Amino acid sequence: MAKSQTELRPLGKSVGRKEDPRFIRGMGRYIDDIVLPGMLYMSLVRSPYAHARIKHVDPSAALEAPGVKLVITGEDLAAMDLAWMPTMAGDKQMVLATGKVLYQYQEVAAVIAESREQAEDAAQLVDVEYEPLPAVVDPIQSLDPDAPVLREDREKKSNHIFHWEAGDKEATEELFRNAPVVVKQNVRFPRVHPSPLEPCGCVADYQSSTGKLTWYVTSQAPHAHRTVLSMVSGLPEHQIRVISPDVGGGFGNKVPVYPGYVCAIVASLKLGRPVKWIESRTENISSTGFARDYHMTAEIAAEEDGRVLALRVKTIADHGAFDAAADPSKFPAGLFSIVTGSYDFKESFVEVDGAYTNKAPGGIAYRCSFRVTEAAYLIERVMDVLARRVGVDPAELRKRDFIRKEQFPYQSPTGWTYDSGDYEKTLDLALEKIGYEELRKEQAEKRARGELMGIGISTFTEVVGAGPSHTFDIMGIKMFDSAQIRLHPTGKVLARLGVRHQGQGHETTFAQIIAEELGLSTEDVLIEEGDTDTAPYGLGTYASRSTPTAGGAAALCGRRIRDKAKKIASHLLEAGEDDVVWDGVSFSAKGLPDKSVTMKDIAFAAYTNVPEGMEPGLEATYYYDPPNLTFPHGAYIAVVDIDKGTGAVKVRRFLAVDDCGNVINPMIVDGQVHGGLTEGFAIAFMQDIPFDEDGNCLAPNWMDYLVPTALDTPHWETDRTVTPSPHHPIGAKGVGESPNVGSPAAFVNAVVDALAPLGVEHIDMPIFPWKVWEVLREHGVNK
Ligand code: MCN
Ligand code: CUM
């Protein structure tokens, strides 16, 4: 192919990110960059207590303060029937507290003033009298029948939210009864928070003259937010325009609807002026969508050689005060039942019980793929426990138990149909590339000298691309996604998608997909996302669903355009449609390759010279309802050295071999992997949000809740295998969350491997140096 033609086949190439020039130069347009004429500012009054009755709320002093236009209390919202709002999980949540507060930093009142400073100063003047109640912070204690009932609004008089299970209980029990080997491990995945650089915020702009509300918001799912807003407020959906401008990091934190959003909208409706609300860092960490907090127990039944038979998992999930986990409706524990992972278990039984506690709500965030993070961490950790028990090398054990490539499509015991994979190939590449045998030799030598070196493996399976509408919906709305492509007469393209990126590079990768389908250059294709007035309906970007859903829509929409283009080509080439061939860049008449027309020629003709009877123009919309999810996988290996004096763990090497099917843009996939590994590293070694017994949040800022700097972060090595998805239009699987899903287990397995000579079998995250130091002391290493 000539060079110019190579450029017109951009799929699979590391095309530079089109969005970077504006991001790198500080020219992104984020929510706080939006300034409208007459705009007011809102600040929220929050509860200092985790659990308390509200005796009274007196806004009078705040109303007297300079610049203050309005104070909204829970009682004001109750009068409008807005004191509570539905959550995506089918629960309800207080917008502003009435009666009692259920977590520290809960929203109690909103103060709106001419400036942000005035609003914040006046918020201090709202007089709230509380009567403190005992707090329940531990989800296991919360499920005790004697625990105080937190949610007095519910009929059910307990803190139990839901029981959910998957798999065959009887068949699993049977295999456990007769199994030669059973291992059991308690594993906690701590409460963490994605802590995006840009916190949440919005500008609500209600125009009474037109009755239209324009709501600028840091949203990963603008259409879903518009529909929810319409259902809650009663405003007609076409009179609401949701615009999600550049999003400064989402990571699942920008999927839920937060009380501050509703208050800003109510304030704009009441005052007829735009109202801006931007969270502080502390507000973001303490009150918005956290992640994980799963207390899990796993048991594996196996043969003596480590061949697995059955997996049994029991989990207590801490959801905080309201169940606002943004899972698909039918999945209260997300996709956690993928917990059998990459291994061919005959049977499995998985249970999850949700509990209310006096903490902020959430649970679905931080590159979690709807709880696959918890599942992958658990199974990868426990496979190592099994390996140690049966005395088999953890790489070898995994190979014995892998689902083999001939078994795909693979039916898992908890009901998933894995689309494709080649686990052994991926692990082999990783072992070879890291020099596994050499490393084990080095480790043996070091162990003989009393040094602590560890090697940790994680061979995870992901499940992304929610999803097929027969199973996946949020609040009843089916989870397909969409693309719309418009070719202008000069052959330039405007394409809009129903998803909304937050830094993942869609402006480049979706342009690549469409350019590839149309034989154009990526430069010719402009991607727009995030405006509900213009983009086709779609459920947004999270759970690594954009490529599996909207990516499929983009490719099929391009093919729809090409179908029409072919008809125009036949007219221009004066050849029968059956004699017109597409070579990826242009159409020509069969046997006459010199006579050809490009998509640019056809675009012009679509507006100037269509065949008689054909509708002019060249545009199409495609709603893609995927037949299945996609199942990316990976083999990650961490090598660590532990300093016996300080307990500090040094990650000497980390190799991630990912398989996300066909790759659209290798550089962008590497970037996604680097970012997710950095987050997985932070979770393994430095992040946790603890609470004291009164429910005080002990890490609501970046002094106590740590985010890794470039100095902390290890060097990442990456590689890839390619097992295309058989059902996706371009064979791609999602990848955005894989590194966070797969890496924590590799880090922890490496640390446990280093400490194994001391008899250590498990250590819960986060692995702070002091924790390791204490383990060393307990085992007599440090006195
Ligand atoms: N890609 C590709 N080839 C593939 C798969 C993906 O080139 N085979 C590209 C995609 O086209 C896209 C990117 O990689 O540009 C990620 O694609 P995908 O895996 O489909 O994930 P999404 O676009 O749906 O992104 C969501 C995912 C999630 S859920 C979280 S959380 C997360 C993540 O992306 N949040 C992020 N990565 C993030 N990256 C940034 N910079 N900021 C966030 O907030
Ligand atoms: Cu679960 S974090 Mo991402 O799905 O936005």
Side-chain angles (χ1 to χ4, degrees):
M1 215 181 266
K3 184 168 179 291
S4 62
Q5 283 191 315
T6 321
E7 280 165 2
L8 300 179
R9 303 302 301 271
L11 213 58
K13 304 208 173 75
S14 290
V15 176
R17 294 196 356 149
K18 296 172 96 176
E19 44 271 83
D20 278 354
R22 77 173 187 278
F23 289 156
I24 289 169
R25 288 183 289 177
M27 292 166 79
R29 190 164 188 256
Y30 300 96
I31 197 75
D32 205 18
D33 294 318
I34 291 168
V35 177
L36 300 178
M39 190 170 79
L40 300 168
Y41 297 80
M42 185 178 89
S43 175
L44 290 170
V45 178
R46 292 174 181 273
S47 168
Y49 296 103
H51 196 197
R53 277 204 201 286
I54 298 178
K55 307 285 278 185
H56 78 271
V57 182
D58 179 3
S60 49
L63 280 165
E64 304 276 293
V68 171
K69 295 286 164 202
L70 179 71
V71 176
I72 307 172
T73 65
E75 295 303 331
D76 297 333
L77 292 182
M80 303 165 71
D81 203 18
L82 280 177
W84 293 76
M85 62 179 179
T87 70
M88 293 186 190
D91 193 3
K92 57 178 185 161
Q93 172 176 3
M94 284 188 222
V95 178
L96 292 175
T98 48
K100 48 184 211 169
V101 287
L102 288 163
Y103 56 90
Q104 194 189 32
Y105 294 104
Q106 188 179 337
E107 301 79 358
V108 176
V111 177
I112 295 93
E114 292 286 353
S115 74
R116 183 165 184 173
E117 293 75 13
Q118 288 173 329
E120 285 183 4
D121 287 349
Q124 312 281 326
L125 303 175
V126 176
D127 183 28
V128 189
E129 193 189 335
Y130 298 96
E131 179 192 316
L133 298 167
V136 181
V137 290
D138 181 309
I140 295 156
Q141 284 169 11
S142 152
L143 292 180
D144 190 296
D146 295 331
V149 175
L150 303 182
R151 290 284 299 276
E152 290 163 354
D153 59 291
R154 295 203 325 156
E155 258 172 43
K156 194 165 158 185
K157 293 301 167 216
S158 83
N159 298 321
H160 185 249
I161 311 175
F162 62 83
H163 174 81
W164 171 91
E165 54 186 55
D168 186 333
K169 186 173 184 181
E170 280 314 305
T172 303
E173 302 291 323
E174 182 63 28
L175 287 173
F176 267 90
R177 269 194 289 278
N178 303 318
V181 177
V182 172
V183 293
K184 179 173 181 174
Q185 183 63 54
N186 291 327
V187 174
R188 171 153 190 253
F189 206 131
R191 182 180 173 111
V192 289
H193 194 285
S195 214
L197 265 186
E198 178 201 38
C200 299
C202 72
V203 180
D205 181 18
Y206 178 70
Q207 302 272 333
S208 56
S209 56
T210 58
K212 184 144 184 168
L213 170 72
T214 305
W215 186 38
Y216 305 85
V217 58
T218 54
S219 170
Q220 295 178 225
H223 282 100
H225 282 166
R226 185 186 60 176
T227 302
V228 171
L229 186 58
S230 171
M231 290 184 336
V232 172
S233 67
L235 290 172
E237 198 166 356
H238 64 289
Q239 289 284 63
I240 304 172
R241 178 180 191 182
V242 178
I243 299 178
S244 173
D246 285 333
V247 179
F251 308 109
N253 190 237
K254 289 159 180 178
V255 176
V257 174
Y258 295 118
Y261 295 164
V262 179
C263 293
I265 290 167
V266 168
S268 181
L269 286 169
K270 283 193 169 230
L271 296 166
R273 286 171 67 175
V275 175
K276 178 185 275 189
W277 172 65
I278 306 284
E279 282 177 339
S280 67
R281 177 60 52 196
T282 291
E283 290 180 292
N284 180 256
I285 298 180
S286 64
S287 72
T288 64
F290 73 95
R292 326 279 193 265
D293 218 339
Y294 256 36
H295 300 246
M296 308 175 278
T297 303
E299 293 166 276
I300 293 180
E303 304 281 11
E304 261 148 23
D305 64 358
R307 253 171 254 265
V308 294
L309 298 167
L311 174 70
R312 191 157 58 190
V313 176
K314 239 177 158 11
T315 296
I316 306 287
D318 188 341
H319 281 235
F322 309 103
D323 187 7
D327 285 311
S329 306
K330 296 187 187 70
F331 298 85
L335 311 187
F336 183 71
S337 62
I338 193 81
V339 64
T340 53
S342 307
Y343 313 105
D344 192 11
F345 284 93
K346 293 187 189 345
E347 298 294 346
S348 173
F349 184 61
V350 185
E351 292 172 278
V352 182
D353 286 279
Y356 289 120
T357 57
N358 287 121
K359 299 177 193 164
I364 297 297
Y366 213 177
R367 280 182 144 128
C368 69
S369 296
F370 297 131
R371 305 270 189 205
V372 184
T373 31
E374 289 89 327
Y377 175 58
L378 182 65
I379 186 63
E380 290 305 317
R381 189 69 274 286
V382 189
M383 285 302 279
D384 261 36
V385 174
L386 175 66
R388 198 137 285 132
R389 175 71 60 85
V390 296
V392 176
D393 175 272
E396 169 58 26
L397 180 92
R398 283 171 166 79
K399 287 192 188 187
R400 281 183 199 173
D401 285 315
F402 274 156
I403 298 158
R404 293 182 316 280
K405 79 172 185 223
E406 315 82 72
Q407 286 175 279
F408 292 94
Y410 171 80
Q411 208 60 44
S412 94
T414 51
W416 300 99
T417 307
Y418 292 17
D419 64 346
S420 64
D422 189 344
Y423 301 149
E424 188 152 0
K425 180 169 158 192
T426 307
L427 177 56
D428 278 341
L429 175 61
L431 294 173
E432 192 203 308
K433 193 150 180 179
I434 200 126
Y436 188 67
E437 279 178 28
E438 284 305 306
L439 285 169
R440 284 288 177 207
K441 273 189 209 132
E442 181 194 337
Q443 184 186 40
E445 287 162 20
K446 289 203 162 148
R447 277 187 179 165
R449 295 200 294 268
E451 292 171 33
L452 300 175
M453 168 187 164
I455 306 164
I457 300 178
S458 167
T459 46
F460 63 97
T461 288
E462 249 272 62
V463 45
V464 296
S469 71
H470 48 79
T471 334
F472 289 89
D473 71 271
I474 286 188
M475 298 179 92
I477 306 162
K478 306 286 191 186
M479 295 185 76
F480 46 72
D481 225 289
S482 60
Q484 193 177 70
I485 301 176
R486 180 177 299 169
L487 265 86
H488 305 306
T490 54
K492 302 293 177 190
V493 178
L494 174 61
R496 290 167 167 147
L497 297 115
V499 288
R500 205 305 163 246
H501 67 93
Q502 316 117 45
Q504 293 91 341
H506 292 184
E507 289 171 38
T508 310
T509 49
F510 288 139
Q512 287 177 261
I513 296 176
I514 291 166
E516 173 85 18
E517 294 295 340
L518 299 182
L520 294 170
S521 146
T522 11
E523 288 307 313
D524 294 331
V525 183
L526 178 70
I527 299 290
E528 272 186 17
E529 295 177 353
D531 182 340
T532 56
D533 263 12
T534 56
Y537 201 96
L539 273 241
T541 289
Y542 43 84
S544 305
R545 68 186 294 278
S546 303
T547 303
T549 60
L556 294 175
C557 193
R559 287 172 206 173
R560 190 166 270 174
I561 297 253
R562 224 166 57 206
D563 287 344
K564 179 168 180 183
K566 191 175 184 187
K567 292 190 168 62
I568 300 175
S570 121
H571 166 67
L572 295 178
L573 293 167
E574 294 172 337
E577 214 185 310
D578 291 344
D579 292 328
V580 171
V581 286
W582 170 251
D583 67 1
V585 172
S586 55
F587 290 104
S588 57
K590 227 179 248 171
L592 293 169
D594 292 346
K595 204 175 160 204
S596 68
V597 285
T598 64
M599 199 53 80
K600 264 197 171 69
D601 304 326
I602 291 166
F604 194 70
Y607 295 88
T608 56
N609 175 20
V610 288
E612 213 177 303
M614 182 187 271
E615 181 185 352
L618 196 53
E619 58 183 81
T621 304
Y622 202 105
Y623 279 79
Y624 177 60
D625 186 359
N628 189 6
L629 296 116
T630 66
F631 293 73
H633 70 274
Y636 291 180
I637 304 181
V639 183
V640 304
D641 297 301
I642 297 180
D643 182 322
K644 285 204 273 189
T646 62
V649 178
K650 174 150 181 55
V651 178
R652 192 205 312 172
R653 282 185 72 188
F654 194 100
L655 168 67
V657 179
D658 274 282
D659 190 325
C660 57
N662 290 334
V663 171
I664 302 157
N665 184 318
M667 177 196 70
I668 285 181
V669 168
D670 281 348
Q672 286 291 301
V673 172
H674 287 189
L677 293 178
T678 305
E679 292 179 331
F681 166 78
I683 289 168
F685 292 110
M686 48 174 56
Q687 297 185 332
D688 183 18
I689 302 187
F691 291 79
D692 70 12
E693 59 186 22
D694 296 323
N696 293 308
C697 178
L698 299 180
N701 54 60
W702 279 351
M703 290 286 284
D704 301 303
Y705 184 75
L706 304 179
V707 290
T709 65
L711 289 178
D712 302 311
T713 306
H715 170 74
W716 307 121
E717 302 168 52
T718 59
D719 208 334
R720 254 186 295 281
T721 53
V722 175
T723 315
S725 167
H727 61 77
H728 186 271
I730 57 167
K733 304 177 180 183
V735 76
E737 289 164 312
S738 294
N740 198 326
V741 164
S743 65
F747 293 117
V748 179
N749 285 346
V751 172
V752 175
D753 185 53
L755 299 173
L758 308 176
V760 174
E761 289 199 332
H762 178 67
I763 181 166
D764 270 328
M765 299 187 287
I767 305 177
F768 292 121
W770 61 260
K771 236 193 218 178
V772 178
W773 190 82
E774 275 182 2
V775 170
L776 292 172
R777 194 178 50 175
E778 275 164 30
H779 290 82
V781 177
N782 291 317
K783 296 267 167 15

